[in-house]
């Protein structure tokens, strides 16, 4: 069983935070990332170990700096 780390939870929370800030559905984010809705759901629920390259891709699509995805915020 994979351990869900604090950093993974922070990343997941920030993906949700920025997606909702853009008023995007999971489907819209998936389309923009050239991904699938189930994959987005797994990322947002801390079930995916995301590579640093993919973090960079997510940040580019969201038009934010990658470090914004690692800032600890209160959960939504």
């Amino acid at each position: 069983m994979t351990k869900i780390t604090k950093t993974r939870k922070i990343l997941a929370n920030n993906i949700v935070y920025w997606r909702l800030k853009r008023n995007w559905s999971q489907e819209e984010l998936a389309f923009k990332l050239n991904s699938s809705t189930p994959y987005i759901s797994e990322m947002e629920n801390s079930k995916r170990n995301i590579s640093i390259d993919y973090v960079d891709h997510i940040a580019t699509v969201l038009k934010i700096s990658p470090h914004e995805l690692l800032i600890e915020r209160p959960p939504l």
Side-chain angles (χ1 to χ4, degrees), residues 4 8 11 23 33 41:
I4 298 175
R8 191 184 292 189
L11 178 58
N23 292 314
L33 290 172
S41 178

Side-chain angles (χ1 to χ4, degrees), residues 31-65:
F31 177 79
K32 292 172 188 297
L33 290 172
N34 196 28
S35 186
S36 69
T37 303
Y39 191 84
I40 301 302
S41 178
E42 288 176 2
M43 286 193 307
E44 291 185 351
N45 287 292
S46 305
K47 294 179 180 173
R48 281 279 173 180
N49 186 17
I50 305 166
S51 76
I52 197 69
D53 291 337
Y54 204 67
V55 168
D56 192 59
H57 178 56
I58 294 167
T60 299
V61 166
L62 291 169
K63 295 182 173 52
I64 59 173
S65 180

Side-chain angles (χ1 to χ4, degrees), residues 1-9 46-49:
M1 184 164 164
T2 304
K3 180 182 178 204
I4 298 175
T5 64
K6 180 179 178 181
T7 303
R8 191 184 292 189
K9 287 180 187 177
S46 305
K47 294 179 180 173
R48 281 279 173 180
N49 186 17

